[in-house]
Amino acid sequence: MDLVGQIDGLNAEPWLGEAFRASSFRPFFVGNSHYSERLGEEPLYDDSTREVIRDHLLDEPQNFYHRLGEMTLGLPRGQIDRAALYDRVGFANLLQFYLRTPRPQASVRQLKPYVPAFLAMFDAVDPSHIILFGEEVWGAFKSDGVLKDECHRADDTWSGVIGGRPAFYLCHPASTYADAGWGEYVARWVVEEGVTDAELEDWRAAIAVS
């Protein structure tokens, strides 16, 4: 599915695993930004995201993409088959141009202009559940008025609805809070939002190292 050129403001195609549509549980992860000292502040190109994930799967594993599986599935890193996991998920970074370094992350102000493009992308790829990484990404969707929630700062978890699809907040995988039992929270939320325990266990089994 080629969306660049069809959706205004979308520079890079999202990653969609080949088995993404094979399950009723179709999680789509939204990160903050790509970074490159060489390409800093240049727009993303159509294959930016897909190349990064292909590199992660082949020979350049990156911690962020490892932690994504750990935090959302509650499985230790060594028990996750990277290729099987990414065969079943969608992923894109909200910011549609490169940053030179991973710190500081893109701000809500920088991210907000790309929210309309992502709403159109969600309609096209039809995820069952949307998981947003980091307060800046959550804030961009919320400040644009498309994320409906009743969350308070002190709540253990944040969840809401984007375009009729359930959405959940996760801290950035590089955060010091990334080890705070997020897998259990996500599993509980997924079941509350329509995935049966059996379906979730089947999904976990499909991405576990055999």
Side-chain angles (χ1 to χ4, degrees):
M1 176 182 293
D2 293 327
L3 299 176
V4 171
Q6 299 182 45
I7 297 177
D8 289 341
L10 188 69
N11 296 336
E13 298 288 346
W15 170 270
L16 292 176
E18 291 186 6
F20 176 70
R21 292 183 175 82
S23 171
S24 59
F25 179 41
R26 302 180 303 282
F28 194 102
F29 301 99
V30 181
N32 185 289
S33 53
H34 290 295
Y35 60 94
S36 168
E37 290 186 8
R38 181 175 63 86
L39 298 173
E41 300 184 15
E42 290 290 321
L44 302 185
Y45 55 91
D46 58 353
D47 225 23
S48 292
T49 298
R50 295 188 296 202
E51 284 184 357
V52 167
I53 294 181
R54 288 188 193 115
D55 288 346
H56 168 71
L57 295 177
L58 293 174
D59 55 8
E60 297 181 21
Q62 297 186 30
N63 192 51
F64 175 94
Y65 298 100
H66 273 308
R67 299 303 301 277
L68 181 150
E70 293 177 71
M71 290 174 66
T72 57
L73 298 167
L75 293 174
R77 178 178 301 189
Q79 294 182 23
I80 298 173
D81 183 318
R82 283 184 291 158
L85 170 63
Y86 281 91
D87 200 33
R88 289 164 173 79
V89 303
F91 178 86
N93 277 321
L94 183 53
L95 193 69
Q96 292 296 292
F97 60 88
Y98 287 98
L99 296 179
R100 293 188 183 279
T101 63
R103 292 287 185 274
Q105 293 185 47
S107 66
V108 170
R109 179 184 59 80
Q110 290 174 300
L111 295 169
K112 183 177 175 179
Y114 303 104
V115 168
F118 270 57
L119 294 180
M121 182 181 67
F122 294 150
D123 285 341
V125 305
D126 191 28
S128 64
H129 297 72
I130 299 168
I131 297 175
L132 308 177
F133 281 115
E135 289 190 33
E136 293 82 5
V137 174
W138 183 270
F141 280 91
K142 187 166 183 176
S143 67
D144 207 44
V146 301
L147 171 58
K148 311 299 182 184
D149 74 337
E150 297 181 358
C151 301
H152 302 283
R153 185 82 184 172
D155 292 347
D156 289 337
T157 60
W158 298 346
S159 60
V161 177
I162 296 175
R165 298 177 176 90
F168 191 85
Y169 163 84
L170 274 182
C171 70
H172 191 280
S175 164
T176 55
Y177 296 103
D179 294 318
W182 286 102
E184 179 181 342
Y185 289 132
V186 174
R188 188 184 311 148
W189 167 73
V190 165
V191 171
E192 289 173 353
E193 294 295 344
V195 176
T196 68
D197 289 319
E199 287 171 330
L200 183 58
E201 285 309 308
D202 287 346
W203 204 89
R204 280 176 167 161
I207 60 89
V209 173
S210 56

